[in-house]
Amino acid sequence: MRKQTAPLFSTLALALCATLAPSRAGAQTPPAAPPPPDMPAPPLTDAPPPAAAIETPAPPPPLVVEPPQPVPPPPPAPPAAMPTPPPPPKPVMTSKFGAELYGFVEFDSIRDSTQSYNEVAGNGAIAKAGTYSGNHSRLTYSGRNSRLGFKVKGPESDDIKTSALLEMDFLGNQPSPVSESAMFNNSAFRMRHYMLKVETPYIDIMAGQYWALFGSGSYFFPNTVEIMGLPGQVFNRAEQVRISHAFKTDDITVELLAASVRPPQRDGGVPDTQAAIRFLVNKWKGVHTANSTGTAIDAAGISVSGVYRNLRVDELSGAPTTFKSKNAGGLSVDALIPVIPVSGTDRANGLTLTGSYVRGTGIADLFTGLTTGGTYAAPPNPAMATPAPTYTSNIDPGLVTYLADGSLHTIDWQSFMVGAQYYLPPSGNIWLSGNYSQMDSHNMSDLFPGSKSAFKHSQWFDGNIFWDATKALRFGGEFAYFKQKFVDNSTAHNYRGQVSAFYIF
């Protein structure tokens, strides 16, 4: 039995190996046996070589799929066009009624070739060459022209509007003598303007200190860095009671004004009478800076104004017992002409002219610092008293004088001034200006023959450049020339350079 089993297991093993042989050939196929000699070789064909001879290509790199990027949402649709909101209202102070604060802080650096003037030159006499003051220069730093003002408006009705103005600076009178430190570091505070105003449909009434009607006030002022009043310029503020009325249309405005004004002497007992008529062309406008800070868009205009006064001067005596009376007065014509007008608030390329012509007698106080330098004749001394009597006048100097024969005379003056201001493109924040003035007295030589201190002729001109760095900050520079000719035909000159900064609020 066991002998039969062994051949059986051998037979099964051989059969199993034969069965498994094809699967192993897939991994390693032995070379085919050559055909028997009696059989022809198989024909060549395009069949691919056996699988073992084919090189398997490298698999492609794995496909990397980027995650989708988030898509930003589309911008929101623009809102419908909206009108530009108006600028916020100008902040105002409050008091019992509505109040507005205004003014400016000013710093001036001034160099004069002579020691003739403080900040305000006006029409003061120039020190002559050959004198100590005429041969030496002066440098002035000052902020005394800084200004503070309040505008107040009361409740209004259909028929009445009320307002008031109070304006101050630091150019008040200082005690004399006074040190320079006290003069500039502890400047006297003064009331510059103070007035109340009542407006009705029929007539306007003003009472207080304000620009005199003679010369038509600040509306026709020229543009300069120099502190006003200028040589040859009517520049006067006075206590007054004024009435006025403006006839207005779209095209023109005609204003009539009359005032009773503080006289140059209380002893005269009669107030000055001043009147003016102004004609404005409302649609013909130009950019105009009055003095150094008052920039506005003003209508073209012309004004004619006059003053009448009666002077009562104590007689020429060491002990007066009576007076002599003299009439005085003058006429002023002033104009503002926009040669290149502007529209809206655009200042660029604007060119404006200003002008003034004045003629009168006994009106020196209406100019700044015009005292002429002349002196009164000595009063009579029939008893040959020792010391000789002296005369003390009851009127300010420069208006009248007495001759040796006791006759009273008013002093004549004629002046004219022209100015131009041009605002450079593209913004008008930089502009140039220049001015010229001339004064003459036709009776000075007769009243003060041979005088070395009384001048009969003056000339002045200046050139200026301004720059508005911001709406509040302004800088200005000026060069000015002063000349005076005296009765004895001698002359005096002064050159001034000034640089100023202004913070305008």
Side-chain angles (χ1 to χ4, degrees):
M1 187 71 180
R2 291 179 181 173
K3 291 179 181 181
Q4 291 176 356
T5 303
L8 178 61
F9 277 107
S10 299
T11 304
L12 290 174
L14 291 173
L16 180 60
C17 290
T19 305
L20 295 176
S23 63
R24 292 179 179 174
Q28 185 175 2
T29 304
D38 56 347
M39 293 182 66
L44 297 176
T45 65
D46 293 330
I54 298 176
E55 295 182 1
T56 304
L63 179 63
V64 179
V65 179
E66 295 287 342
Q69 296 296 324
V71 179
M82 299 288 290
T84 303
K90 184 178 181 180
V92 297
M93 296 182 61
T94 57
S95 65
K96 185 176 181 180
F97 305 121
E100 178 184 346
L101 170 69
Y102 71 94
F104 55 85
V105 177
E106 178 174 347
F107 171 74
D108 300 309
S109 173
I110 304 169
R111 186 176 181 86
D112 288 295
S113 61
T114 67
Q115 296 176 356
S116 305
Y117 302 128
N118 291 322
E119 305 100 314
V120 182
N123 299 275
I126 303 172
K128 295 181 181 180
T131 65
Y132 183 87
S133 295
N135 290 344
H136 292 82
S137 61
R138 171 174 286 174
L139 175 66
T140 302
Y141 280 5
S142 176
R144 298 200 302 159
N145 197 46
S146 298
R147 191 173 303 166
L148 183 65
F150 300 91
K151 296 178 181 178
V152 183
K153 289 189 176 181
E156 299 180 358
S157 68
D158 293 338
D159 296 327
I160 297 178
K161 297 179 181 179
T162 62
S163 61
L165 176 69
L166 185 64
E167 183 177 294
M168 294 78 68
D169 64 19
F170 300 88
L171 284 170
N173 292 325
Q174 300 277 14
S176 181
V178 63
S179 68
E180 290 192 22
S181 176
M183 180 175 180
F184 292 103
N185 296 346
N186 301 291
S187 305
F189 198 50
R190 71 171 179 175
M191 298 175 71
R192 192 171 186 270
H193 290 305
Y194 53 93
M195 63 87 166
L196 58 91
K197 189 174 184 180
V198 179
E199 300 173 77
T200 74
Y202 310 103
I203 196 169
D204 298 339
I205 303 172
M206 190 196 76
Q209 178 167 292
Y210 197 62
W211 296 113
L213 284 180
F214 186 67
S216 296
S218 60
Y219 194 87
F220 300 96
F221 280 174
N223 173 225
T224 177
V225 176
E226 193 168 323
I227 301 173
M228 293 182 176
L230 304 172
Q233 178 192 24
V234 170
F235 187 86
N236 184 255
R237 297 178 298 273
E239 294 85 353
Q240 59 189 284
V241 177
R242 176 191 297 187
I243 58 174
S244 62
H245 183 76
F247 301 89
K248 298 180 179 179
T249 69
D250 290 339
D251 296 321
I252 64 172
T253 296
V254 178
E255 188 174 14
L256 304 178
L257 309 99
S260 174
V261 185
R262 181 191 67 82
Q265 56 165 184
R266 292 175 294 172
D267 294 348
V270 180
D272 278 10
T273 299
Q274 298 187 17
I277 179 170
R278 297 175 182 169
F279 180 85
L280 304 179
V281 183
N282 298 328
K283 295 182 180 180
W284 183 15
K285 293 187 175 183
V287 57
H288 170 223
T289 300
N291 202 177
S292 52
T293 59
T295 303
I297 306 299
D298 289 331
I302 188 170
S303 174
V304 179
S305 57
V307 56
Y308 167 78
R309 51 186 29 174
N310 181 261
L311 309 176
R312 296 180 180 179
V313 186
D314 289 347
E315 65 175 332
L316 184 65
S317 170
T321 59
T322 186
F323 65 86
K324 290 193 174 183
S325 179
K326 200 74 174 177
N327 292 327
L331 181 73
S332 178
V333 180
D334 301 87
L336 186 150
I337 303 173
V339 177
I340 303 179
V342 298
S343 59
T345 59
D346 184 10
R347 308 191 305 194
N349 200 40
L351 173 62
T352 303
L353 302 182
T354 56
S356 175
Y357 174 80
V358 180
R359 188 181 182 100
T361 187
I363 59 171
D365 60 311
L366 301 178
F367 298 83
T368 301
L370 184 59
T371 60
T372 71
T375 58
Y376 292 99
N381 185 16
M384 302 299 291
T386 302
T390 58
Y391 175 68
T392 303
S393 174
N394 65 335
I395 191 171
D396 288 340
L399 297 169
V400 299
T401 192
Y402 273 111
L403 296 183
D405 61 3
S407 59
L408 180 66
H409 298 267
T410 55
I411 299 171
D412 300 339
W413 285 106
Q414 174 182 282
S415 73
F416 70 87
M417 172 178 285
V418 293
Q421 43 193 280
Y422 176 68
Y423 296 76
L424 300 174
S427 64
N429 288 341
I430 298 176
W431 69 96
L432 308 173
S433 66
N435 305 279
Y436 175 83
S437 74
Q438 181 174 310
M439 289 192 75
D440 293 280
S441 175
H442 302 298
N443 64 351
M444 189 71 69
S445 297
D446 297 330
L447 300 176
F448 307 101
S451 174
K452 296 181 179 180
S453 58
F455 71 87
K456 61 180 180 179
H457 171 84
S458 73
Q459 289 177 292
W460 171 85
F461 67 79
D462 81 338
N464 308 270
I465 182 170
F466 285 88
W467 172 45
D468 278 353
T470 70
K471 290 184 178 180
L473 186 60
R474 176 173 293 179
F475 298 95
E478 178 207 36
F479 171 79
Y481 169 74
F482 303 73
K483 177 185 176 181
Q484 291 174 351
K485 185 175 182 179
F486 295 82
V487 172
D488 67 349
N489 290 323
S490 61
T491 59
H493 309 263
N494 182 72
Y495 302 89
R496 166 170 285 198
Q498 179 170 339
V499 177
S500 298
F502 311 88
Y503 187 90
I504 305 169
F505 58 88

